[in-house]
Amino acid sequence: MTVIVSARRNIRWTSWILGGGSTLAAAAFAWPFFVGAVPADAQVAVPIVAFALIPALIVALALTLDREMYTAKTVALLGVLSAVGAAVRIAGAGVGGVEAVFVLLILAGRVYGARFGFLLGLLTIAVSSLLWGGFGPWTPFQMFACGWVGAGAGLLPRWPKTTPPTEPARRATAQRWRASLEIALLAAYGVVASYLFGLLMNLWFWPFAVGSGTGISYEAAADPGQNLASFALYSLVTSTLTWDTVRAITTVVGIALVGPAVLAALRRARLGPRR
């Protein structure tokens, strides 16, 4: 009983820390709406802010990889899936908005839970950036954004357990129906995650991406509502209608094609209770 209570306390404490770290990261994304700065200042500050997030990432990893996660199977599976995700990301290289790695993050997060999905997103971006030579001020932002994609899939609602029909034909039909609903849920989430990821990555870059004096420029003296409207227009014309839409389509097609098989394979390597 003492061991169970201690494990639950560790999970709760880790969840609070990860939640706090994610809140700080969200503030780092959203600072243009709350802090006045000219684009030139933002350009100087962003690398500092980005690399300041790295200690938070290290702390998040250290706290998440607590004793509950210290099993050979968990670490091995996390390493393998991170390597697969990195390879998929490097192969696609985000060309034209194609982000097939989202398929893996969503499916793994669904099976293994929010904490595992969050870690997988972080490590996938870190490994692919190291191998691909793509480290830069944007990397910590990408790590958190992809971590949130994986974690969000783990937080999606689960189907309530029901007693399956006794007749084999009806049982098979019920199983197919539940599987189809799950794929539809994950595909819908993939669309939402694809657009939100694009908005987040636009947000860190927007304040200094456009010169001043245009209808989509960041203005330090403007109120948050005006800057929000400018940002929405900037995102719409630069990525929402193009890159983000392609990413959403790619994710939906990938989940529809490989989702059932990958979910079944991941569940055969079940780690235990979802975290």
Side-chain angles (χ1 to χ4, degrees):
M1 176 66 73
T2 303
V3 174
I4 295 175
V5 172
S6 177
R8 287 177 178 174
R9 286 177 179 173
N10 285 338
I11 294 173
R12 190 178 300 114
W13 176 252
T14 303
S15 299
W16 276 106
I17 294 296
L18 289 177
S22 292
T23 301
L24 291 175
F29 276 102
W31 70 264
F33 300 134
F34 307 104
V35 179
V38 298
D41 294 337
Q43 191 166 6
V44 173
V46 162
I48 299 173
V49 173
F51 286 106
L53 292 176
I54 293 178
L57 289 169
I58 296 173
V59 171
L61 287 170
L63 290 172
T64 303
L65 289 172
D66 54 23
R67 286 180 298 176
E68 187 191 74
M69 298 285 282
Y70 282 160
T71 66
K73 190 173 184 179
T74 301
V75 174
L77 188 56
L78 185 60
V80 169
L81 291 179
S82 298
V84 171
V88 170
R89 182 168 182 258
I90 292 172
V95 176
V98 176
E99 291 283 359
V101 70
F102 274 32
V103 177
L104 176 64
L105 296 181
I106 292 171
L107 296 177
R110 172 66 172 177
V111 175
Y112 298 130
R115 293 171 66 199
F116 189 98
F118 182 76
L119 276 176
L120 181 60
L122 295 183
L123 292 175
T124 296
I125 299 301
V127 172
S128 61
S129 297
L130 284 172
L131 296 178
W132 191 25
F135 250 106
W138 57 85
T139 304
F141 292 98
Q142 286 182 330
M143 292 172 71
F144 265 108
C146 283
W148 290 334
V149 170
L155 296 175
L156 292 174
R158 309 286 292 179
W159 311 132
K161 292 184 178 180
T162 58
T163 303
T166 56
E167 297 86 349
R170 292 183 59 190
R171 186 187 305 118
T173 300
Q175 289 174 347
R176 286 195 298 269
W177 178 247
R178 288 170 67 92
S180 298
L181 286 178
E182 183 174 41
I183 293 298
L185 174 66
L186 295 178
Y189 171 75
V191 172
V192 174
S194 296
Y195 283 109
L196 288 180
F197 177 85
L199 288 173
L200 284 173
M201 294 311 300
N202 285 341
L203 186 54
W204 87 269
F205 184 71
W206 164 63
F208 51 88
V210 182
S212 60
T214 72
I216 57 175
S217 298
Y218 167 72
E219 298 294 341
D223 59 77
Q226 181 179 338
N227 275 326
L228 181 60
S230 298
F231 170 69
L233 182 58
Y234 165 79
S235 291
L236 183 67
V237 300
T238 59
S239 72
T240 302
L241 297 177
T242 53
W243 292 70
D244 298 343
T245 298
V246 173
R247 183 186 299 113
I249 294 172
T250 302
T251 302
V252 169
V253 172
I255 289 174
L257 291 178
V258 306
V262 173
L263 287 173
L266 292 175
R267 282 170 174 150
R268 284 196 293 270
R270 189 76 179 183
L271 296 176
R274 296 168 72 247
R275 304 179 174 95

